[in-house]
Amino acid sequence: MEPKHETLPGGTPVFTTRAHPITTDSLLLAAFCAPKPHWAACDLGSGGGVLLLSLIDKGLTGPAIGVELQPTGTALLQQAIGCGALANVQAVCGDIRAWRAPHLFDLVVANPPYFTAGMHSPTPARATARHQTAGGLADFSAAAARMLKDGVRFCLCYPAGQLATAFEALAAHRLAPKRLQLARKAPDAPPWLALIDARKAAGPGLKILPDKIVPPGNSVRY
């Protein structure tokens, strides 16, 4: 099946497939990050580039790199770069556990695979995106810590029910959670997603933001 050409709210092109769709998680995380326009950013496990391109769509003009293990995902991001003439964006096909960045970043983002068990998708790219077959949060945290300047941020999303696991993985790599927002599908529904802003080599102190309510079927507001 040919990739589907879609457009983000600000006009940035994105190419999607069933294995690399536009997800609510990525859109919520892009809105949560709120980068300065000039920041240098890196998306770890970028898939088809939806998260990274959403940051571009929100005004990021600094150098931006998406690192993705799957060639199919890298190709989708490369297609969007060419379509949108996005000279500040680079698509890299590589393993985040081994890849070495050309410089330090102001912002590293990740929508990492969440699952360690359960049924895997028959589509290899989709299975890798959802299950920790090629690295878990500890690997993403180690990569982010390697790429960040002191005091700046690693923003990620993770299941709300696994928040303790996320904080443990971050702490192991000197990444201190500084902002937290939970997403719910209704005010009285349990949260399904945690949005976390961790800072490298930062002191204690966590700001908990009001919950984000995202009813099923509703588009995420930028």
Side-chain angles (χ1 to χ4, degrees):
M1 182 181 293
E2 287 294 316
K4 182 179 180 182
H5 180 194
E6 302 188 57
T7 304
L8 295 172
T12 304
V14 61
F15 289 84
T16 63
T17 63
R18 287 186 64 184
H20 298 292
I22 294 177
T23 65
T24 299
D25 292 12
S26 290
L27 296 181
L28 284 172
L29 183 56
F32 175 77
C33 289
K36 301 291 185 184
H38 65 276
W39 280 1
C42 182
D43 182 1
L44 299 175
S46 54
V50 171
L51 173 54
L52 190 65
L53 292 169
S54 295
L55 295 176
I56 300 298
D57 199 63
K58 292 173 67 61
L60 182 70
T61 58
I65 299 177
V67 185
E68 169 56 37
L69 183 64
Q70 297 285 339
T72 51
T74 305
L76 291 173
L77 177 54
Q78 190 62 59
Q79 195 169 355
I81 292 169
C83 180
L86 304 175
N88 63 317
V89 184
Q90 180 183 356
V92 173
C93 188
D95 189 327
I96 64 163
R97 294 169 293 188
W99 183 71
R100 292 298 181 266
H103 52 76
L104 295 178
F105 295 93
D106 303 293
L107 172 68
V108 173
V109 298
N111 181 2
Y114 302 153
F115 303 110
T116 57
M119 185 176 295
H120 287 215
S121 169
T123 304
R126 185 66 172 157
T128 300
R130 292 174 58 82
H131 283 78
Q132 297 179 17
T133 58
L137 184 55
D139 299 297
F140 280 79
S141 298
R146 203 168 57 235
M147 299 174 187
L148 284 169
K149 305 171 185 176
D150 282 355
V152 295
R153 61 184 63 182
F154 175 36
C155 291
L156 68 150
C157 53
Y158 213 65
Q162 298 181 41
L163 196 54
T165 300
F167 280 12
E168 183 180 4
L170 292 168
H173 297 282
R174 298 177 62 238
L175 297 165
K178 302 299 289 183
R179 288 193 304 140
L180 172 68
Q181 185 173 41
L182 301 178
R184 303 173 184 267
K185 295 180 180 178
D188 59 348
W192 96 89
L193 189 72
L195 304 166
I196 305 166
D197 172 1
R199 310 292 172 93
K200 181 179 177 181
L206 174 64
K207 181 178 181 180
I208 301 176
L209 304 178
D211 290 355
K212 184 78 173 179
I213 309 300
V214 186
N218 283 27
S219 59
V220 175
R221 283 182 171 270
Y222 268 46

